[in-house]
Amino acid sequence: MAGRRGAPRSEAARVAILDATAALFAERGYDHLSIEGIAARAGVGKQTVYRWWSGKSALIADCLLEGMLLPESFAVPDTGDLRADLVSWLRAVEGVIESPSGEGLFRSLIAAATENVDVGRRLREALADPRLFGPRLRDARAAGDLRADLPIEDVTETIIGALVFRALARTPPDPVYAERLVDLLLGPAGA
């Protein structure tokens, strides 16, 4: 039986590397993040990092997927006003995307996803997570605020896709984009 080559993977080293990556990313941003710096901060050799990750994009993706980079909660709030909740959430996400570290984060995540099928699958699961919108939209549908046949998972993917596209295209901030996107979902306000 053929075994795995190389040194066994240490959970302590893995965590130290991910912690170092998240900390350095927050301090310096994606463009100034280096494998050498990550290895030094984690107290491991550079070869240890490369043994487990193909590069900084894959490291950033793992940090995101382990909840180490984004704000604590990206769940849609529930104040009782669906339109206001969705607009508020979209503006918060836009704020992250438009920040210098957010721009680097999205760029690195897309790079990692194009390099590695598994990273792409895990990124899709994390970003299109039905828990982001699902509970809030299901509650709104049950209350009659949304049409009964609304495909909630498709709506989630559409909204996330629109945000990711704007981030990739480096579209300038638009103060009314969130409202327009919510209008596409719910119909114009007051209609």
Side-chain angles (χ1 to χ4, degrees):
M1 177 167 120
R4 183 180 173 275
R5 292 181 183 222
R9 186 169 178 164
S10 158
E11 181 62 13
R14 184 188 80 79
V15 170
I17 292 166
L18 292 174
D19 285 343
T21 302
L24 289 169
F25 183 85
E27 292 169 15
R28 301 178 186 172
Y30 179 77
D31 292 332
H32 300 288
L33 189 66
S34 71
I35 297 300
E36 293 81 6
I38 292 167
R41 173 78 64 100
V44 301
K46 188 169 71 168
Q47 69 279 6
T48 300
V49 177
Y50 280 120
R51 184 178 304 124
W52 300 330
W53 292 276
S54 60
K56 65 183 185 179
S57 294
L59 275 164
I60 293 293
D62 272 356
C63 285
L64 172 78
L65 298 173
E66 298 224 5
M68 301 172 83
L69 294 178
L70 293 177
E72 333 47 79
S73 174
F74 263 160
V76 178
D78 187 351
T79 66
D81 182 341
L82 180 62
R83 180 176 300 280
D85 293 345
L86 292 174
V87 168
S88 171
W89 183 86
L90 285 165
R91 285 185 178 151
V93 173
E94 284 179 307
V96 170
I97 292 171
E98 292 166 3
S99 71
S101 63
E103 180 184 353
L105 171 66
F106 279 94
R107 189 172 60 236
S108 64
L109 291 174
I110 298 305
T114 60
E115 292 172 7
N116 184 307
V117 172
D118 185 53
V119 171
R121 180 188 54 76
R122 291 173 30 208
L123 179 60
R124 182 197 181 283
E125 290 169 3
L127 293 179
D129 185 342
R131 293 173 298 181
L132 290 176
F133 293 97
R136 183 66 181 98
L137 296 181
R138 282 185 189 83
D139 290 348
R141 185 170 57 189
D145 296 332
L146 291 174
R147 58 179 228 256
D149 64 341
L150 184 73
I152 291 174
E153 287 73 24
D154 292 345
V155 168
T156 298
E157 287 185 8
T158 300
I159 290 175
I160 296 299
L163 293 170
V164 169
F165 180 75
R166 288 180 65 83
L168 287 174
R170 296 183 181 181
T171 305
D174 179 345
V176 295
Y177 181 72
E179 287 86 351
R180 288 196 320 267
L181 196 54
V182 171
D183 284 348
L184 289 172
L185 172 62
L186 303 179

Coordinates of all heavy atoms in Angstrom, one line a residue, residues 76-129:
V76 N -28.1 37.7 6.9 CA -29.0 38.8 6.7 C -29.8 39.1 8.0 O -30.3 38.2 8.6 CB -30.0 38.5 5.5 CG1 -30.9 39.6 5.3 CG2 -29.2 38.2 4.3
P77 N -29.8 40.4 8.4 CA -30.5 40.7 9.6 C -32.0 40.5 9.5 O -32.5 40.4 8.4 CB -30.2 42.2 9.9 CG -29.8 42.7 8.5 CD -29.2 41.5 7.8
D78 N -32.7 40.5 10.6 CA -34.2 40.4 10.5 C -34.8 41.4 11.5 O -35.0 41.1 12.7 CB -34.6 38.9 10.9 CG -36.1 38.7 10.7 OD1 -36.8 39.7 10.4 OD2 -36.6 37.6 10.8
T79 N -35.0 42.6 10.9 CA -35.7 43.6 11.7 C -37.2 43.7 11.5 O -37.8 44.5 12.1 CB -35.1 45.0 11.3 OG1 -35.4 45.3 9.9 CG2 -33.6 45.0 11.5
G80 N -37.7 42.8 10.6 CA -39.1 42.9 10.2 C -39.3 43.6 8.9 O -40.4 43.5 8.4
D81 N -38.3 44.3 8.4 CA -38.5 45.0 7.1 C -37.5 44.4 6.2 O -36.3 44.7 6.2 CB -38.1 46.5 7.4 CG -38.3 47.3 6.1 OD1 -38.3 46.7 5.0 OD2 -38.3 48.6 6.2
L82 N -38.0 43.4 5.3 CA -37.2 42.7 4.4 C -36.3 43.6 3.5 O -35.1 43.4 3.4 CB -38.0 41.7 3.6 CG -37.3 40.9 2.6 CD1 -36.3 39.9 3.3 CD2 -38.2 40.1 1.7
R83 N -37.0 44.6 2.9 CA -36.2 45.4 2.0 C -35.1 46.1 2.7 O -33.9 46.1 2.2 CB -37.2 46.5 1.4 CG -36.5 47.4 0.4 CD -37.5 48.4 -0.2 NE -38.5 47.7 -1.0 CZ -38.4 47.2 -2.2 NH1 -37.2 47.4 -2.8 NH2 -39.3 46.5 -2.8
A84 N -35.3 46.7 3.9 CA -34.3 47.4 4.6 C -33.2 46.4 5.0 O -32.0 46.8 5.0 CB -34.9 48.1 5.8
D85 N -33.6 45.2 5.4 CA -32.6 44.2 5.9 C -31.7 43.8 4.7 O -30.4 43.7 4.9 CB -33.3 42.9 6.4 CG -34.0 43.2 7.7 OD1 -33.8 44.2 8.3 OD2 -34.8 42.3 8.0
L86 N -32.2 43.6 3.5 CA -31.4 43.2 2.4 C -30.5 44.3 1.9 O -29.3 44.1 1.6 CB -32.3 42.7 1.2 CG -33.0 41.4 1.4 CD1 -34.0 41.1 0.3 CD2 -32.1 40.3 1.6
V87 N -31.0 45.6 1.9 CA -30.2 46.7 1.5 C -29.1 46.9 2.5 O -27.9 47.1 2.1 CB -31.1 48.0 1.4 CG1 -30.2 49.2 1.3 CG2 -32.0 47.9 0.2
S88 N -29.4 46.8 3.8 CA -28.4 47.0 4.8 C -27.3 45.9 4.7 O -26.1 46.2 4.8 CB -29.0 46.9 6.2 OG -28.1 46.8 7.2
W89 N -27.7 44.7 4.5 CA -26.7 43.6 4.3 C -25.8 43.8 3.1 O -24.6 43.7 3.1 CB -27.4 42.2 4.2 CG -26.5 41.1 4.1 CD1 -25.9 40.4 5.1 CD2 -26.0 40.5 2.9 NE1 -25.1 39.4 4.6 CE2 -25.1 39.5 3.3 CE3 -26.2 40.7 1.5 CZ2 -24.5 38.6 2.4 CZ3 -25.6 39.9 0.6 CH2 -24.7 38.9 1.0
L90 N -26.5 44.2 1.9 CA -25.7 44.4 0.7 C -24.7 45.5 0.9 O -23.6 45.4 0.4 CB -26.7 44.7 -0.5 CG -27.4 43.5 -1.0 CD1 -28.5 43.9 -1.9 CD2 -26.4 42.6 -1.8
R91 N -25.1 46.6 1.6 CA -24.2 47.7 1.8 C -23.0 47.3 2.7 O -21.9 47.7 2.4 CB -24.9 48.9 2.4 CG -25.8 49.6 1.5 CD -26.4 50.8 2.1 NE -27.2 51.6 1.1 CZ -28.2 52.3 1.5 NH1 -28.6 52.4 2.7 NH2 -28.9 52.9 0.5
A92 N -23.3 46.4 3.6 CA -22.2 45.9 4.5 C -21.2 45.1 3.7 O -20.0 45.2 3.8 CB -22.7 45.1 5.7
V93 N -21.7 44.2 2.8 CA -20.9 43.4 2.0 C -20.1 44.3 1.0 O -18.9 44.1 0.8 CB -21.7 42.3 1.3 CG1 -20.8 41.5 0.3 CG2 -22.3 41.3 2.3
E94 N -20.8 45.2 0.4 CA -20.1 46.1 -0.5 C -18.9 46.9 0.2 O -17.9 47.0 -0.4 CB -21.1 47.2 -1.1 CG -22.0 46.7 -2.2 CD -22.9 47.7 -2.6 OE1 -23.6 48.4 -1.8 OE2 -23.0 48.0 -3.8
G95 N -19.2 47.2 1.4 CA -18.1 47.9 2.2 C -16.9 47.0 2.4 O -15.8 47.5 2.3
V96 N -17.1 45.7 2.6 CA -16.0 44.8 2.7 C -15.3 44.7 1.4 O -14.1 44.8 1.3 CB -16.5 43.4 3.2 CG1 -15.4 42.4 3.1 CG2 -17.0 43.5 4.6
I97 N -16.1 44.5 0.3 CA -15.5 44.3 -1.0 C -14.7 45.6 -1.5 O -13.7 45.5 -2.1 CB -16.6 44.0 -2.1 CG1 -17.2 42.6 -1.8 CG2 -16.1 44.1 -3.5 CD1 -18.4 42.3 -2.6
E98 N -15.2 46.7 -1.1 CA -14.6 48.0 -1.6 C -13.4 48.4 -0.7 O -12.6 49.3 -1.1 CB -15.6 49.1 -1.6 CG -16.7 48.9 -2.7 CD -17.9 49.8 -2.5 OE1 -17.9 50.6 -1.6 OE2 -18.8 49.7 -3.3
S99 N -13.2 47.7 0.4 CA -12.0 48.0 1.2 C -10.8 47.5 0.6 O -10.8 46.5 -0.2 CB -12.2 47.4 2.6 OG -12.1 46.0 2.6
P100 N -9.6 48.1 0.9 CA -8.4 47.6 0.3 C -8.1 46.1 0.5 O -7.8 45.3 -0.4 CB -7.3 48.4 0.9 CG -8.0 49.7 1.3 CD -9.4 49.3 1.6
S101 N -8.4 45.6 1.8 CA -8.2 44.2 2.1 C -9.3 43.4 1.4 O -9.0 42.2 1.0 CB -8.1 44.0 3.6 OG -9.3 44.3 4.2
G102 N -10.5 43.9 1.3 CA -11.6 43.1 0.7 C -11.3 42.9 -0.8 O -11.6 41.8 -1.3
E103 N -10.8 43.9 -1.5 CA -10.5 43.7 -2.9 C -9.4 42.6 -3.1 O -9.6 41.8 -3.9 CB -9.9 45.1 -3.5 CG -9.6 45.0 -4.9 CD -9.0 46.3 -5.5 OE1 -9.0 47.3 -4.7 OE2 -8.5 46.2 -6.6
G104 N -8.4 42.7 -2.3 CA -7.4 41.6 -2.3 C -7.9 40.3 -2.0 O -7.6 39.3 -2.6
L105 N -8.8 40.2 -1.0 CA -9.4 39.0 -0.6 C -10.2 38.3 -1.8 O -10.0 37.2 -2.1 CB -10.4 39.2 0.6 CG -11.3 38.0 1.0 CD1 -10.4 36.9 1.5 CD2 -12.3 38.5 2.0
F106 N -11.0 39.1 -2.4 CA -11.8 38.5 -3.5 C -10.9 38.2 -4.7 O -11.1 37.1 -5.3 CB -12.9 39.5 -3.9 CG -14.1 39.4 -3.0 CD1 -14.3 40.2 -2.0 CD2 -15.1 38.4 -3.2 CE1 -15.4 40.1 -1.1 CE2 -16.2 38.2 -2.4 CZ -16.3 39.1 -1.3
R107 N -9.9 39.0 -5.0 CA -9.0 38.6 -6.1 C -8.3 37.3 -5.7 O -8.1 36.5 -6.6 CB -8.0 39.8 -6.3 CG -7.2 39.6 -7.5 CD -6.4 40.9 -7.8 NE -5.4 41.2 -6.7 CZ -5.4 42.3 -6.1 NH1 -6.2 43.3 -6.4 NH2 -4.5 42.5 -5.1
S108 N -7.8 37.2 -4.5 CA -7.1 35.9 -4.2 C -8.0 34.7 -4.1 O -7.6 33.6 -4.5 CB -6.4 36.1 -2.8 OG -7.3 36.3 -1.8
L109 N -9.3 34.9 -3.7 CA -10.2 33.8 -3.7 C -10.5 33.3 -5.1 O -10.5 32.1 -5.4 CB -11.5 34.2 -3.0 CG -11.4 34.4 -1.5 CD1 -12.7 35.0 -0.9 CD2 -11.0 33.1 -0.8
I110 N -10.7 34.2 -6.0 CA -11.0 33.8 -7.4 C -9.7 33.1 -8.0 O -9.9 32.1 -8.7 CB -11.4 35.0 -8.3 CG1 -12.7 35.6 -7.7 CG2 -11.6 34.7 -9.7 CD1 -13.9 34.7 -7.6
A111 N -8.6 33.7 -7.7 CA -7.3 33.0 -8.2 C -7.2 31.6 -7.7 O -6.9 30.7 -8.4 CB -6.1 33.9 -7.8
A112 N -7.5 31.5 -6.4 CA -7.4 30.1 -5.8 C -8.4 29.2 -6.4 O -8.1 28.0 -6.6 CB -7.6 30.2 -4.3
A113 N -9.6 29.7 -6.6 CA -10.6 28.8 -7.2 C -10.3 28.4 -8.6 O -10.6 27.3 -9.0 CB -12.0 29.5 -7.1
T114 N -9.6 29.2 -9.4 CA -9.3 28.9 -10.8 C -8.1 27.9 -10.8 O -8.0 27.1 -11.7 CB -8.9 30.1 -11.6 OG1 -7.8 30.8 -11.1 CG2 -10.1 31.0 -11.8
E115 N -7.3 27.9 -9.7 CA -6.1 27.0 -9.7 C -6.5 25.6 -9.1 O -5.8 24.6 -9.4 CB -5.1 27.6 -8.7 CG -4.4 28.8 -9.2 CD -3.5 29.5 -8.2 OE1 -3.2 28.9 -7.1 OE2 -3.0 30.5 -8.5
N116 N -7.6 25.5 -8.4 CA -7.8 24.3 -7.6 C -9.3 24.0 -7.6 O -10.1 24.8 -7.0 CB -7.3 24.4 -6.2 CG -7.4 23.2 -5.4 OD1 -8.5 22.6 -5.3 ND2 -6.3 22.7 -4.8
V117 N -9.8 22.9 -8.2 CA -11.2 22.6 -8.3 C -11.8 22.5 -6.9 O -12.9 23.0 -6.6 CB -11.4 21.3 -9.1 CG1 -12.8 20.8 -9.0 CG2 -11.0 21.5 -10.5
D118 N -11.1 21.9 -5.9 CA -11.6 21.7 -4.6 C -11.8 23.0 -3.9 O -12.8 23.3 -3.2 CB -10.7 20.8 -3.8 CG -11.3 20.5 -2.4 OD1 -12.5 20.1 -2.3 OD2 -10.6 20.8 -1.4
V119 N -10.9 24.0 -4.1 CA -11.0 25.3 -3.5 C -12.2 26.0 -4.1 O -13.0 26.6 -3.4 CB -9.7 26.1 -3.7 CG1 -10.0 27.6 -3.3 CG2 -8.6 25.6 -2.9
G120 N -12.4 25.8 -5.4 CA -13.6 26.4 -6.1 C -14.9 25.9 -5.5 O -15.8 26.6 -5.3
R121 N -14.9 24.6 -5.3 CA -16.1 24.0 -4.8 C -16.4 24.5 -3.4 O -17.5 24.8 -3.0 CB -16.0 22.4 -4.8 CG -17.2 21.7 -4.2 CD -16.9 20.2 -4.0 NE -15.7 19.9 -3.2 CZ -15.7 20.0 -1.9 NH1 -16.7 20.4 -1.2 NH2 -14.6 19.7 -1.2
R122 N -15.4 24.5 -2.6 CA -15.5 25.0 -1.2 C -15.9 26.5 -1.1 O -16.7 26.9 -0.3 CB -14.3 24.7 -0.4 CG -14.1 23.2 -0.2 CD -12.8 22.7 0.5 NE -12.2 23.7 1.3 CZ -10.9 23.8 1.6 NH1 -10.1 23.0 1.0 NH2 -10.4 24.7 2.4
L123 N -15.3 27.2 -2.0 CA -15.6 28.7 -2.1 C -17.1 28.8 -2.5 O -17.8 29.7 -1.9 CB -14.7 29.3 -3.1 CG -14.9 30.8 -3.3 CD1 -14.7 31.6 -2.0 CD2 -14.0 31.4 -4.4
R124 N -17.6 28.1 -3.4 CA -19.0 28.2 -3.8 C -19.9 27.8 -2.6 O -20.9 28.5 -2.3 CB -19.3 27.2 -4.9 CG -20.8 27.3 -5.4 CD -21.2 26.1 -6.2 NE -22.5 26.3 -6.6 CZ -23.6 26.1 -5.9 NH1 -23.5 25.8 -4.6 NH2 -24.8 26.2 -6.3
E125 N -19.5 26.8 -1.9 CA -20.3 26.4 -0.7 C -20.3 27.5 0.3 O -21.4 27.7 1.0 CB -19.8 25.1 -0.1 CG -20.0 23.9 -1.0 CD -19.2 22.6 -0.5 OE1 -18.5 22.7 0.5 OE2 -19.3 21.6 -1.2
A126 N -19.2 28.1 0.5 CA -19.1 29.2 1.5 C -19.9 30.4 1.1 O -20.6 31.0 1.9 CB -17.7 29.5 1.8
L127 N -19.7 30.9 -0.1 CA -20.3 32.1 -0.6 C -21.8 32.0 -0.9 O -22.6 32.9 -0.8 CB -19.5 32.7 -1.8 CG -18.1 33.2 -1.5 CD1 -17.5 33.7 -2.7 CD2 -18.1 34.3 -0.4
A128 N -22.2 30.8 -1.5 CA -23.6 30.6 -1.8 C -24.3 29.9 -0.7 O -25.3 29.3 -1.0 CB -23.6 29.9 -3.2
D129 N -23.7 29.9 0.5 CA -24.3 29.2 1.6 C -25.8 29.7 1.8 O -26.0 30.9 2.0 CB -23.5 29.6 2.8 CG -24.0 28.8 4.1 OD1 -25.1 28.3 4.1 OD2 -23.2 28.8 5.0

